[in-house]
Amino acid sequence: MICRHCQREIADHSNFCYFCGARQHTAQTARSARRLMRSATDKKLAGICGGLGEYFEVDSTLVRLIWVLVVVFTGIFPGVIVYLIAWLVMPEAPQPLPQDVQASQPAPQSNP
Ligand SMILES: [Zn+2]
């Protein structure tokens, strides 16, 4: 493989370049670094759609929208079963630091 930084030949599957020390971002290392988990912060029900959004690096709102459309057009029941299975199978992501939780909570609003 070729280093992306200095364009010199290095051994296949190297994590770092021998010549310039640049980190080599291969598809394999990127995939093994992240896991499919339920989101601890971005959740409406169980965090399934938030976790999928984090995994595929897309907006979780888009994932929810697609999920709802799929559920509606498949007749509700299969989608709900798949959601419950995902809830059981997917581990929950670790809770973030307390200041992150406070920052993500919406400010209390006064409803006239
Ligand atoms: Zn290099």
Side-chain angles (χ1 to χ4, degrees):
M1 62 186 276
I2 305 292
C3 172
R4 295 181 189 185
H5 187 73
C6 65
Q7 312 298 323
R8 283 197 254 193
E9 181 69 38
I10 56 176
D12 288 344
H13 310 300
S14 297
N15 287 327
F16 295 94
C17 173
Y18 316 131
F19 303 103
C20 68
R23 184 171 184 85
Q24 306 298 309
H25 293 283
T26 63
Q28 276 188 328
T29 54
R31 181 159 285 277
S32 62
R34 59 183 182 172
R35 293 180 59 205
L36 181 58
M37 292 191 292
R38 283 154 38 208
S39 177
T41 54
D42 189 7
K43 62 198 300 185
K44 291 280 187 264
L45 288 172
I48 304 290
C49 293
L52 287 171
E54 288 174 8
Y55 186 79
F56 292 111
E57 292 176 352
V58 294
D59 192 347
S60 62
T61 305
L62 186 67
V63 177
R64 284 192 188 96
L65 188 65
I66 292 169
W67 187 282
V68 167
L69 288 173
V70 167
V71 166
V72 167
F73 284 109
T74 55
I76 308 291
F77 192 70
V80 172
I81 293 296
V82 169
Y83 191 92
L84 291 174
I85 291 170
W87 195 340
L88 288 171
V89 168
M90 284 167 67
E92 185 163 20
Q95 289 288 328
L97 296 170
Q99 64 262 28
D100 290 340
V101 174
Q102 284 181 343
S104 66
Q105 285 177 344
Q109 293 177 341
S110 59
N111 293 319

